[in-house]
Amino acid sequence: MLYGKYTFSLLFRDNAILPEYKGSTFRGAFGVALKRVACALKLQDCTSCLLNQRCVYYLVFEQTSAGIPDDGGRKRIATPPHPYVIELSEDFRTRFQAGESFDFSLLLFGKANDYLPYFVYAFDQMGKTGIGKNTAGGRAVFLLREVAAEKEIVYSSQDGKMRQGAFTCDLTLPCLSDGQEHAVSKVLLTLQTPLRLKYDNHLNATLPFHVLIRAMLRRVSSLLQYHGGGEPALDYRGLVARAEAVAVEESSLRWFDWKRFSNRQDQAMLLGGLVGSVAYTGDISEYMPLIRFCEKVHLGKQTSFGLGKIELTGVG
């Protein structure tokens, strides 16, 4: 699966007021800006638009499995995952002064990387419209100064041009094993942003290893099925069954609730998830590629907001 990580550097023109968790705010404004930039017919119902199969907005925000050609195979995951994640830095401040900078990353999966210029332009236009609030009551405008991939400049406001280059890598399960030959019997995972997982149709406030692995298998399968080379041939039942033998050694996980405002539903919504750290012990070696993969793509529900960011902070 093609994988790109692009760092966007902003400069606030106004004194800005933003929520503590900014992913939902950025995602909502990004969607509005991208539709304004990409929509040719200005239709409200994207599913009935005859141009939707060539529209970057539809691909990123609206596409369902009904809009994807059927390859005749059985689909484990019915609904395509969004081909992007807005990954915010761990800056929980709510007030920024004019002249302050703010960085975030945009993760793109599969052919969404081909549309990077649209995304850059959408964020550039979003800066002119504004985001959050300013101290005068309107929206806070910003300048999109630069977009970079690793240390290579992709876009600069100085000339307003996109650079050409190979900014993506091929993200697969085998290449994430890091050539690890020794047995892994302990890992420490840190949930950097709230992790929302459903098991038995309920959101869980605990994280047994087998529940974590079920979620990782869903995430990996869905991304590779719809945005990569196809669903991977994995021993799903066996992986889950063996994961039940891995124990939680220590946990500082806690449930954290936060609010976001949904423009579509025109109401505030309470979203919660797990944050903190958890240590697992057992035979973990075969799960390392899954963990490494999900470190890069986030995990669970509402990943497009930046939720479900995990980090492997210890291996033993």
Side-chain angles (χ1 to χ4, degrees), residues 105-116:
S105 294
L106 179 66
L107 313 182
L108 297 179
F109 313 131
K111 68 178 182 179
N113 286 276
D114 297 339
Y115 297 102
L116 179 62

Side-chain angles (χ1 to χ4, degrees), residues 13 22 26 34 37 84 95 109 198 204 228-229 289 303 307:
R13 298 292 202 189
K22 304 166 184 65
F26 272 80
L34 184 61
V37 165
Y84 74 96
R95 291 180 178 268
F109 313 131
K198 271 191 174 182
N204 282 320
T303 54
L307 298 193

Side-chain angles (χ1 to χ4, degrees), residues 67-88:
I68 297 177
D70 188 358
D71 60 6
R74 181 178 66 87
K75 288 181 170 58
R76 183 181 299 273
I77 307 296
T79 303
H82 291 298
Y84 74 96
V85 169
I86 296 177
E87 186 176 86
L88 278 297

Side-chain angles (χ1 to χ4, degrees), residues 185-191 207-209 212 246-253 276-282 284 291 311-316:
S185 59
K186 180 177 179 179
V187 294
L188 177 65
L189 284 180
T190 299
L191 313 184
L207 194 58
F209 191 69
L212 177 71
V246 176
V248 174
E249 181 184 71
E250 187 178 356
S251 175
S252 64
L253 296 179
S277 298
V278 56
Y280 298 103
T281 57
I284 304 175
I291 296 172
E311 183 180 2
L312 189 62
T313 50
V315 178

Side-chain angles (χ1 to χ4, degrees), residues 27 30 34-35 38-39 46-47 49 51-65 67-69 79-84 108-116 118-119 226-228 264 304:
R27 178 190 180 275
F30 171 48
L34 184 61
K35 188 167 187 178
C39 183
C46 292
T47 58
C49 178
L51 299 181
N52 60 25
Q53 294 303 304
R54 295 292 184 269
C55 175
V56 59
Y57 174 80
Y58 182 77
L59 167 71
V60 171
F61 280 94
E62 302 289 349
Q63 183 167 258
T64 65
S65 57
I68 297 177
T79 303
H82 291 298
Y84 74 96
L108 297 179
F109 313 131
K111 68 178 182 179
N113 286 276
D114 297 339
Y115 297 102
L116 179 62
Y118 283 91
F119 304 143
Y226 287 105
H227 304 306
R264 288 192 176 188
S304 62

